[in-house]
Amino acid sequence: MFTPVETSIGALLLHQATSSLLYQNGNILGASGSLRQLFSAPTRETMGFFAGMAASYFPLKALAPQLITSYPSVPITLQVALFTVGVGLLVGWGTKTSNGCTSGHMLCGLSRLSGRSAIAVATFFPVALITHHLVHPTLYTEACPGDLPCYKPIYPSTTTTASLILLAAMSVLAARTVPKLIASITTPQASDKKLPHDTRSIARSATQFFSGLLFALGLHISQMSHPAKVASFFSFPSLQHWDPSLALVILLGVLPNLIEIQRKGFKTPPSFADKFSLPTKTLKDVDVKFVAGAAAFGVGWGLTGTCPGPAVLRAFAQPVWGSLWMTGFWVGGRLGDL
């Protein structure tokens, strides 16, 4: 069902996750790229990001346990295992070849007015929608049971809304202040017996941690981490089965980023880096392989409603499913290097 309050709060948390990482560390929040780096060359910052994602369970459990994503059980048969690995491979190859997924291209790329990201989004979104229609012709999903139209909004209780606002405010405040507090700690002089601490490095790792925390909270609260919720968005234009929640994620995740980037720009260095680490490729670098990769990702996304960020959260909850999907993702990424 359409959840405008929860989805709006979750989308704003996704905005804060990408904004904090960009203007504090100078990095783009790309879930597929970070996941690939975790497998190939993990760093303290990368591990900090995924530790933050894992830590999202605890504040959610304390303040809004009903919004912790509940995943459908997966019977591990040979057929299911091969399908899960295959979908992971599609997503892995597609995101490697097209240099990103929904987080890097949609949340971050569109807000930077990247032509390459616009091409990627304009490719994988309709491909995902078409794939969902072909594979699930009834368009029914578990997110919209019963006879009520899926677009009909439902609202949380006043207590739940207050808890979500409190959780969001505390998380954003921590993400904005804790890394800066760490960076403000005086570094011991080189003449001291103790080796000087690299406070900037620690602050960057803290930023990664809180960005991962905000990112995961945003996915859980908006329920974009739930495969059926995403699949119901792909049921458009069938109004009976269409859940427009994802449209709010696009609007309230991308638009605030766009406004902030237009206001701040990239002339002033980020807080904990000498310069921004932004993609250098432009629209001129778009080729057939890039579009094919975006389309492959769209197929994988449309088949299951799961992209790399939500896949990480599901892997925490269902490790066997996660090991299968991640294996396919890793193999797909390796094939993308060929």
Side-chain angles (χ1 to χ4, degrees), residues 130-218:
I130 292 169
T131 301
H132 174 68
H133 278 251
L134 292 176
V135 176
H136 306 285
T138 67
L139 302 182
Y140 172 84
T141 69
E142 296 177 358
C144 302
D147 298 326
L148 287 176
C150 201
Y151 64 81
K152 184 177 177 62
I154 57 172
Y155 299 97
S157 67
T158 303
T159 302
T160 298
T161 302
S163 297
L164 289 178
I165 293 174
L166 176 63
L167 174 58
M170 291 174 58
S171 301
V172 171
L173 180 63
R176 295 285 181 175
T177 59
V178 172
K180 292 181 180 180
L181 287 174
I182 292 173
S184 68
I185 298 173
T186 302
T187 304
Q189 298 296 319
S191 58
D192 291 351
K193 292 182 179 181
K194 292 183 179 180
L195 292 174
H197 296 287
D198 187 353
T199 53
R200 175 190 267 193
S201 176
I202 298 173
R204 288 180 60 86
S205 296
T207 296
Q208 288 277 2
F209 174 86
F210 283 109
S211 292
L213 176 70
L214 291 173
F215 184 60
L217 287 175

Side-chain angles (χ1 to χ4, degrees), residues 255-271:
L255 187 58
N257 278 349
L258 174 63
I259 294 172
E260 184 173 28
I261 288 173
Q262 294 303 309
R263 181 172 59 88
K264 292 183 177 180
F266 300 114
K267 292 183 179 180
T268 303
S271 300

